[in-house]
């Protein structure tokens, strides 16, 4: 079941998830030089704040009913249910502009971690995915089509620009 979401500082947030006898933390980092999502035992997270869980207090005790990745990018959803209420936490792990959204079954925003210009009840708009190749479906032909030699560009930069997950 979902625990609370806490912000350690302006660069990190954690969702605590209890399973059987263990509790893990889904860490969400959105600092410009280090970003992403990870799972660690909750005992490894030291939060020194008196701030109350914010803004997802209403999902404490909810049950996770599904997890999925959107495309092959750094966006994923955790579906939760509490009683008859079904909602989704959407993690946009895309760097300094990353965000966590809580939306209802009709895709209406219930809460957001970082966007202040969005009102409760607005429709959540999925980020448009970059025009990148899925490495699970990658063919030699697709790479050849994209391969436009840039003077001095190392191969790893080409892959970072054109293939998801690199």
């Amino acid at each position: 079941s979902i625990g609370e979401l806490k912000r350690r500082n302006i660069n990190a947030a954690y969702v605590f998830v209890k399973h059987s006898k263990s509790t893990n933390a889904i860490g969400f980092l959105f600092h410009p030089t280090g970003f992403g999502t990870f799972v660690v035992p909750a005992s490894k997270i030291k939060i020194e704040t008196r701030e109350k869980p914010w803004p997802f207090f209403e999902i404490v005790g909810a049950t996770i009913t599904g997890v999925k990745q959107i495309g092959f990018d750094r966006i994923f959803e955790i579906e939760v249910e509490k009683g008859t209420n079904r909602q989704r936490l959407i993690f946009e792990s895309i760097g300094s502009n990353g965000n966590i959204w809580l939306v209802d079954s009709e895709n209406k925003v219930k809460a957001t971690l970082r966007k202040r210009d969005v009102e409760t009840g607005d429709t959540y708009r999925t980020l448009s995915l970059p025009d990148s190749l899925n490495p699970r479906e990658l063919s030699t032909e697709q790479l050849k089509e994209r391969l436009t030699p840039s003077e001095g560009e190392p191969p790893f930069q080409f892959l970072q620009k054109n293939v998801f997950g690199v």
Side-chain angles (χ1 to χ4, degrees), residues 69-75 129 133-136 163-166:
Q69 185 175 12
I70 308 302
F72 201 76
D73 201 9
R74 301 154 293 170
I75 303 170
L129 297 175
L133 301 170
N134 183 335
R136 292 186 179 149
V163 180
F164 277 125
V166 177

Side-chain angles (χ1 to χ4, degrees), residues 69-146:
Q69 185 175 12
I70 308 302
F72 201 76
D73 201 9
R74 301 154 293 170
I75 303 170
F76 66 95
E77 295 180 358
I78 297 177
E79 297 172 4
V80 297
E81 185 175 294
K82 187 174 181 181
T84 59
N85 192 9
R86 299 185 133 216
Q87 301 176 99
R88 292 177 297 138
L89 281 170
I90 301 170
F91 290 76
E92 298 173 341
S93 302
I94 56 170
S96 60
N97 292 319
N99 201 3
I100 302 174
W101 300 83
L102 179 66
V103 300
D104 65 17
S105 58
E106 297 175 358
N107 225 29
K108 301 292 183 188
V109 174
K110 304 275 289 172
T112 178
L113 182 65
R114 302 183 73 210
K115 292 277 187 177
R116 301 290 183 252
D117 59 343
V118 175
E119 298 288 327
T120 300
D122 286 354
T123 301
Y124 169 74
R125 305 229 185 275
T126 305
L127 289 175
S128 47
L129 297 175
D131 181 28
S132 294
L133 301 170
N134 183 335
R136 292 186 179 149
E137 302 167 356
L138 191 59
S139 69
T140 305
E141 293 76 30
Q142 287 175 316
L143 275 177
K144 285 180 182 177
E145 286 175 15
R146 298 256 179 141

